[in-house]
């Protein structure tokens, strides 16, 4: 029988690419999305899809129940891909905005992960869990504090879970992606417009010169930017290798940052990131 995988955030970008390529490799893919219209489009393309909104606990419960109904109670893998960014200076991010981004990027991810672990333990203690983090799960940048905080939380949850599952064959891996082509920038605009009153900020001039142009206009490819298949290739290794890695650094930029954070004094590392 084909191995089964539940993927969140399949409406575009990395999740959509992963769903299609894993389906082509023979996996039984449950490609979930937040919006019914995206579900309908994926189903029309031949993928199994249904609604799962990781910001809604009821939707998470229903999504996992639907997965298990279709598989007869088993699940071989979970790829927690859904997430979004919220640009803005930390002093301008209200607590409600932080709660909202954590609901999707952290709490929903954790809820779905715990449900998957329970299923994997019940089926004999085997399975794969892959958490989509970021280079910003290992570093930090100006204007990205809310997203960075959420990804640091994902890293902590995943690393602790990996240690706690060492006596099983349930493997936990983290994908640390750098610049990859996606709708991430565009998808972050609604939250920015809802929560960040940048024109009243003490940093309003810096918003105008450093953030607004990049947020609202496509400024072309970033240095070392890759396409989604590069991420899917690492995901496939995490799912199919006999001994998957704990962490996958994806894109040259991510490797450079990881090496720099290990060898440079904090003051020097801060100076470099301030210039980014």
């Amino acid at each position: 029988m084909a191995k089964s995988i539940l993927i969140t955030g399949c409406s575009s970008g990395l999740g959509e690419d992963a769903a299609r390529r894993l389906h082509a490799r023979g996996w039984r893919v449950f490609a979930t999305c937040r919006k019914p219209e995206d579900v309908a489009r994926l189903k029309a393309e031949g993928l199994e899809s249904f609604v799962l909104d990781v910001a809604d606990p009821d939707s998470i419960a229903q999504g996992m129940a639907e997965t298990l109904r279709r598989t007869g109670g088993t699940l071989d893998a979970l790829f927690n891909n859904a997430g979004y960014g919220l640009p803005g200076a930390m002093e301008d991010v209200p607590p409600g905005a932080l709660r909202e981004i954590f609901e999707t990027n952290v709490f929903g991810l954790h809820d779905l992960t715990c449900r998957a672990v329970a299923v994997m333990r019940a089926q004999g203690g085997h399975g794969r869990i892959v958490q989509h983090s970021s280079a910003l799960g290992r570093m930090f940048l100006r204007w990205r504090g809310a997203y960075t905080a959420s990804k640091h939380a994902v890293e902590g949850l995943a690393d602790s879970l990996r240690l706690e599952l060492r006596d099983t064959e349930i493997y936990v891996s983290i994908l640390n992606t750098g610049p990859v082509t996606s709708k991430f920038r565009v998808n972050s605009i609604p939250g920015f417009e809802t929560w960040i009153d940048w024109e009243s900020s003490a940093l309003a001039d810096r918003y105008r010169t450093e953030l607004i142009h990049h947020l609202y206009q496509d400024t072309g490819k970033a240095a070392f930017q890759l396409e989604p298949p590069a991420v899917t290739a690492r995901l496939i290794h995490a799912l199919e290798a006999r001994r998957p890695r704990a962490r996958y650094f994806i894109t040259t930029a991510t490797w450079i940052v990881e090496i720099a954070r290990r060898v440079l004094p904090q003051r020097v590392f801060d100076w470099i990131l301030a210039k980014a």
Side-chain angles (χ1 to χ4, degrees), residues 55 84-108 143-153 191-192 194-196:
Y84 72 95
L86 177 65
M90 285 312 302
E91 64 191 85
D92 299 323
V93 176
L98 206 57
R99 292 188 189 98
E100 187 173 90
I101 193 172
F102 266 64
E103 196 67 55
T104 293
N105 292 8
V106 182
F107 303 145
W143 313 112
R144 300 292 186 269
Y147 180 74
T148 297
S150 73
K151 290 305 181 181
H152 274 69
F192 175 78
T194 298
W195 290 106
I196 308 301

Side-chain angles (χ1 to χ4, degrees), residues 11 32 73 91 142 157 172-173 177 192 214 216-217 225 241 249 260 265:
S11 61
T32 68
E91 64 191 85
R142 294 174 300 165
L157 291 171
V172 180
S173 297
T177 53
F192 175 78
H214 294 284
Y216 285 94
Q217 297 186 38
Q225 183 169 317
F249 297 120

Side-chain angles (χ1 to χ4, degrees), residues 111-265:
D111 188 350
L112 198 52
T113 297
C114 291
R115 293 173 187 273
V117 170
V119 173
M120 292 172 182
R121 284 191 180 278
Q123 67 192 15
H126 62 85
R128 304 291 172 99
I129 295 173
V130 182
Q131 312 290 38
H132 190 182
S133 183
S134 166
L136 290 176
R138 307 282 289 174
M139 55 171 280
F140 43 89
L141 286 175
R142 294 174 300 165
W143 313 112
R144 300 292 186 269
Y147 180 74
T148 297
S150 73
K151 290 305 181 181
H152 274 69
V154 168
E155 296 270 333
L157 291 171
D159 284 338
S160 295
L161 181 63
R162 187 178 65 254
L163 292 182
E164 293 160 2
L165 293 173
R166 287 193 68 187
D167 61 344
T168 74
E169 292 186 7
I170 304 172
Y171 297 103
V172 180
S173 297
I174 300 170
L175 303 185
N176 290 102
T177 53
V180 176
T181 302
S182 72
K183 293 183 178 180
F184 185 84
R185 175 185 60 83
V186 173
N187 291 340
S188 70
I189 291 175
F192 175 78
E193 293 180 342
T194 298
W195 290 106
I196 308 301
D197 182 15
W198 69 270
E199 292 178 303
S200 300
S201 170
L203 301 173
D205 289 340
R206 292 179 62 183
Y207 274 95
R208 291 188 183 93
T209 59
E210 298 180 19
L211 179 63
I212 298 301
H213 171 72
H214 294 284
L215 180 60
Y216 285 94
Q217 297 186 38
D218 185 355
T219 56
K221 285 192 173 184
F224 309 113
Q225 183 169 317
L226 297 178
E227 298 301 315
V231 179
T232 302
R234 300 299 189 275
L235 171 64
I236 289 170
H237 189 278
L239 295 172
E240 298 182 359
R242 189 175 68 87
R243 289 288 183 181
R245 300 172 191 167
R247 182 172 278 104
Y248 293 81
F249 297 120
I250 306 171
T251 76
T252 301
T254 307
W255 275 108
I256 291 173
V257 166
E258 184 63 22
I259 293 170
R261 68 182 288 273
R262 295 185 187 190
V263 302
L264 294 178

Side-chain angles (χ1 to χ4, degrees), residues 65-99:
E66 178 63 18
T67 300
L68 300 181
R69 184 189 69 79
R70 297 189 184 202
T71 64
T74 65
L75 181 64
D76 294 296
L78 168 66
F79 178 31
N80 273 311
N81 170 69
Y84 72 95
L86 177 65
M90 285 312 302
E91 64 191 85
D92 299 323
V93 176
L98 206 57
R99 292 188 189 98

Side-chain angles (χ1 to χ4, degrees), residues 7 10 14-24 29 31 42 47 232:
I7 307 178
C10 293
L14 306 180
E16 185 174 10
D17 184 79
R20 287 175 173 158
R21 292 178 185 276
L22 287 171
H23 176 72
V29 178
L42 294 179
L47 291 170
T232 302

